[in-house]
Amino acid sequence: MKIELYKGRFKKALLDMNKDEALHLARKILSTCPLQDFVGYVLVDVLEDIGIRWEQGTVSLAQIYICGKICEQIVDEIIPPGHGLKSYKQRIAIATLLDYHSLGKRLVASFLKASGYTFIDYGCGIDEETIIEKVQQDKIDILLISTFLYPTALKVKSIRDSLDKAGYKIRILVGGAPFRFDKSLWRQVGADAMGGCASDAVSIINIWVEEGNQDD
Amino acid sequence: MINATTSMDRVLTTLNHREPDKVPLFLPLSVYGAKELGMDIKKYFSDPKNVIEAQIRMTKKYNNDCYYGFFYAAIEFSAWGGEIIFPKDSPPTAGEPVLKRNAVPGTIKPPDVGDSKSLLRVLETIQGLKERIGNSAPIIGVVISPTSLPIMQMGFDNYFDTILERPDFFKSLIRANQEFCIQWANAQLNAGATAITYFDPFSSTSMVTKDMYNKMLHNIAKETLQRIREPIAFHLASGSCIPIIEGIIDSGPDVVGISCHEDIGQLKSICRDRVTLLGNLNGIEMCSWTRQDSEAAVKSIIKKAGAGGGLIISDNHGEIPLQVSEETLMAVGEAVNKWGRYPLTWTEVH
């Protein structure tokens, strides 16, 4: 009951972009529940709800950005280094394809981190050839690609085709404006899923990771 | 209904919230001109003669009611020292940010339009278009708002951090950008542009909260627009605006460019006889539209927002992607001709 109360206030503090209050409440919640519950039940839940509100148009990008940043900071400050928040075997990487508009990637990275995931960040402005080479070198299982322009979104197809041709198995999750303006585009470019927002991306990764764990 | 003899008459009539002969069509064709001339994008934008030729051809070909003096959004970033990347199949885009988040307030000075070869090419294009077409149709100039250009200058995340954590630097940054924006807009008007599209996606409620807009952005836009000779289209570049529409109207534009994600009928009910609506075709979906899709989309907009004038059909982002087929653009023009003829008797409920 107490957690529920604090959870609502924690969400409000995030949406009000009030870092101090959010950090204070996060500490309060952590004093009443185990760390795993805080991440799984509070952080992930709250971020998911905020993400849904963004998709519905009632929350702005600025709020999403600040929420992700605060939650990332909470993970860094409150959670002990090396603490295993998640147990999974897949290797995850994220990149912004061919562009320096890196906010989308940054948001997803913040949400992933706040949800207990570790991943390789390939940065922004990276081309298809480099991504294809790197994912194979790093033995990546899940690749998140952020795009800004429509023609760039179309280039995901060449990444998919090249990796298929090389016999490399990978799941590709795409996101960014072109995919939000054309809801069928992710299928056309051969992606396995599209994240409409940062929390959406985390929800999809959760499912894929769970499926991977069940395969063991 | 007023009989329009030229695109200019048609547009001015609708801006006065009266019904011209038909709903005007603004297809924002910029990089598309390279396709029209079968030319590499970098080469295309290197010579104003190319852009003028393509604009003349495309306006005729697609029944367009405007000439677009716009090259690409990142061109202003280049005037600030930024690198421009020229992909083969998409608009030129901004390279790495040029302003650091720890820059000292007061040290940012706006560039002079006359010192930028790229911007001078835009002015030469507008002048050339004006000489060729006179007052037969509007020539649209473009500026990026002083609150939106820093997205390219600093990167989105650094810019957000600046707004929230360094208000003194934010003010200084915006002042420099405001001076540049006004200088650039008026230079285009002096060169022969009929109107200015003021792209301000950052003010949209897709980007910031209504509270942030009201407290930090509204006055900047209002001050800036007051110093640009009218008319002005306040364009959200596909961002949402319904929660802040009263503020946008108060800032003084004649036209508002709206998102395909918002209900143009709802906006029409708010904006009727106050500002003209520009939009709101989905330019991304347009890449895979059939002729039937094009007709349905145009017809829907006209039905919801055509009555009484105050409507210009356009895409919602301010740039038609290269991947949109010529056939689709033709179909859009034909649909406007078919369903946009005033009086719109077919929209009446019997």
Side-chain angles (χ1 to χ4, degrees):
Chain A
M1 189 61 199
K2 218 171 182 182
I3 292 182
E4 274 304 321
L5 181 70
Y6 284 136
K7 192 174 164 185
R9 285 172 56 192
F10 176 65
K11 183 164 39 180
K12 185 176 181 314
L14 288 177
L15 287 171
D16 289 344
M17 300 187 278
N18 186 338
K19 186 171 83 176
D20 294 341
E21 175 72 359
L23 280 168
H24 167 72
L25 289 164
R27 288 194 184 95
K28 281 259 186 200
I29 298 168
L30 265 170
S31 70
T32 64
C33 72
L35 189 56
Q36 301 286 6
D37 286 358
F38 171 70
V39 174
Y41 178 64
V42 180
L43 269 188
V44 172
D45 242 25
V46 165
L47 289 176
E48 188 176 322
D49 180 59
I50 290 172
I52 290 167
R53 291 188 195 201
W54 186 66
E55 282 198 273
Q56 291 168 342
T58 56
V59 158
S60 71
L61 199 58
Q63 287 165 296
I64 293 281
Y65 171 68
I66 298 302
C67 290
K69 208 175 152 183
I70 294 172
C71 291
E72 201 179 345
Q73 196 177 335
I74 289 169
V75 171
D76 283 344
E77 284 183 15
I78 297 180
I79 298 171
H83 193 287
L85 288 172
K86 285 258 181 205
S87 174
Y88 60 97
K89 62 175 185 177
Q90 291 97 328
R91 288 172 64 78
I92 303 171
I94 188 168
T96 302
L97 184 60
L98 290 170
D99 203 281
Y100 286 92
H101 286 84
S102 61
L103 187 67
K105 177 176 72 66
R106 170 88 192 262
L107 295 174
V108 174
S110 293
F111 277 47
L112 275 178
K113 202 172 171 188
S115 304
Y117 287 103
T118 54
F119 50 89
I120 300 174
D121 188 343
Y122 290 145
C124 51
I126 184 166
D127 61 35
E128 310 100 284
E129 291 76 20
T130 311
I131 288 186
I132 291 163
E133 197 184 314
K134 277 182 177 290
V135 294
Q136 294 180 89
Q137 265 173 14
D138 298 332
K139 298 186 169 35
I140 298 301
D141 302 293
I142 297 173
L143 173 64
L144 294 90
I145 303 175
S146 173
T147 63
F148 183 66
L149 297 169
Y150 179 76
T152 312
L154 295 179
K155 293 190 194 308
V156 173
K157 183 86 171 80
S158 70
I159 295 174
R160 164 58 76 199
D161 289 348
S162 296
L163 290 170
D164 282 355
K165 204 173 167 186
Y168 189 85
K169 280 191 139 188
I170 191 166
R171 277 177 145 166
I172 298 177
L173 171 61
V174 292
F179 297 104
R180 281 188 287 106
F181 278 86
D182 184 345
K183 303 284 188 203
S184 65
L185 187 58
W186 66 273
R187 290 182 196 277
Q188 291 173 38
V189 300
D192 295 287
M194 186 272 279
C197 62
S199 64
D200 205 11
V202 173
S203 302
I204 292 162
I205 300 287
N206 285 340
I207 293 168
W208 289 354
V209 161
E210 185 59 32
E211 285 172 2
N213 288 344
Q214 283 170 2
D215 289 345
D216 286 343
Chain B
M1 185 195 82
I2 304 229
N3 263 330
T5 53
T6 64
S7 290
M8 186 71 92
D9 293 336
R10 185 170 297 133
V11 173
L12 290 176
T13 305
T14 212
L15 290 183
N16 284 319
H17 306 283
R18 289 180 296 155
E19 296 184 347
D21 59 335
K22 65 169 182 170
V23 178
L25 171 66
F26 277 17
L27 289 172
L29 299 163
S30 53
V31 74
Y32 210 87
K35 185 175 172 177
E36 176 66 30
L37 299 189
M39 201 176 267
D40 167 78
I41 291 171
K42 191 171 185 179
K43 189 178 175 195
Y44 172 71
F45 285 120
S46 70
D47 188 343
K49 288 191 189 76
N50 298 333
V51 184
I52 294 166
E53 181 58 31
Q55 283 294 318
I56 303 269
R57 283 196 206 175
M58 292 189 295
T59 297
K60 191 173 174 189
K61 189 170 179 180
Y62 302 117
N63 286 313
N64 207 5
D65 281 308
C66 75
Y67 294 84
Y68 207 31
F70 178 57
F71 278 32
Y72 42 90
I75 201 163
E76 293 185 29
F77 173 71
S78 74
W80 288 79
E83 182 206 358
I84 303 296
I85 298 165
F86 285 87
K88 284 185 179 162
D89 52 6
S90 61
T93 183
E96 290 193 58
V98 289
L99 294 180
K100 303 291 176 203
R101 59 183 299 179
N102 57 358
V104 179
T107 57
I108 300 168
K109 302 287 178 214
D112 195 303
V113 167
D115 292 337
S116 164
K117 285 181 185 169
S118 303
L119 298 186
L120 289 174
R121 278 196 283 272
V122 176
L123 295 180
E124 199 180 326
T125 299
I126 292 171
Q127 277 166 351
L129 280 170
K130 185 73 178 174
E131 283 163 18
R132 292 274 295 271
I133 64 127
N135 289 322
S136 61
I139 299 167
I140 310 300
V142 165
V143 295
I144 311 295
S145 82
T147 47
S148 291
L149 192 58
I151 296 168
M152 282 185 254
Q153 294 168 327
M154 302 189 73
F156 235 133
D157 39 4
N158 280 335
Y159 182 42
F160 269 142
D161 290 343
T162 297
I163 292 172
L164 296 162
E165 294 165 11
R166 297 190 65 202
D168 54 341
F169 179 62
F170 173 68
K171 273 185 196 163
S172 165
L173 174 71
I174 296 309
R175 286 296 161 222
N177 273 295
Q178 192 176 39
E179 290 311 312
F180 174 74
C181 177
I182 292 161
Q183 182 198 160
W184 177 221
N186 287 328
Q188 291 175 78
L189 291 169
N190 289 337
T194 322
I196 294 294
T197 295
Y198 176 89
F199 277 113
D200 193 6
F202 192 73
S203 282
S204 76
T205 47
S206 309
M207 297 278 183
V208 295
T209 62
K210 183 179 177 180
D211 192 49
M212 284 171 79
Y213 168 79
N214 286 335
K215 286 182 181 160
M216 292 194 280
L217 307 177
H218 171 255
N219 280 342
I220 297 164
K222 191 170 180 175
E223 277 174 30
T224 310
L225 265 55
Q226 277 171 353
R227 291 174 59 195
I228 299 171
R229 299 201 322 265
E230 293 181 276
I232 295 165
F234 193 115
H235 204 304
L236 282 304
S238 69
S240 300
C241 72
I242 288 177
I244 56 165
I245 189 66
E246 289 300 337
I248 291 175
I249 294 171
D250 178 67
S251 62
D254 302 84
V255 178
V256 180
I258 61 169
S259 169
C260 61
H261 289 148
E262 290 193 308
D263 180 3
I264 197 167
Q266 185 185 351
L267 277 160
K268 178 75 174 189
S269 65
I270 301 167
C271 298
R272 188 185 303 274
D273 297 331
R274 300 168 76 195
V275 287
T276 292
L277 296 176
L278 177 77
N280 60 347
L281 299 169
N282 184 333
I284 298 295
E285 280 188 355
M286 205 184 274
C287 296
S288 50
W289 274 356
T290 62
R291 291 183 69 80
Q292 289 76 18
D293 293 331
S294 305
E295 181 170 353
V298 168
K299 191 177 171 184
S300 167
I301 291 174
I302 293 172
K303 184 173 183 180
K304 288 179 177 177
L311 172 68
I312 299 171
I313 300 271
S314 186
D315 95 310
N316 85 137
H317 193 71
E319 165 86 50
I320 298 289
L322 278 173
Q323 289 72 18
V324 174
S325 71
E326 293 190 3
E327 192 191 9
T328 295
L329 294 181
M330 301 260 198
V332 167
E334 285 164 19
V336 174
N337 275 337
K338 182 176 175 184
W339 297 105
R341 296 267 166 204
Y342 286 106
L344 304 174
T345 48
W346 63 272
T347 62
E348 289 165 12
V349 180
H350 295 286

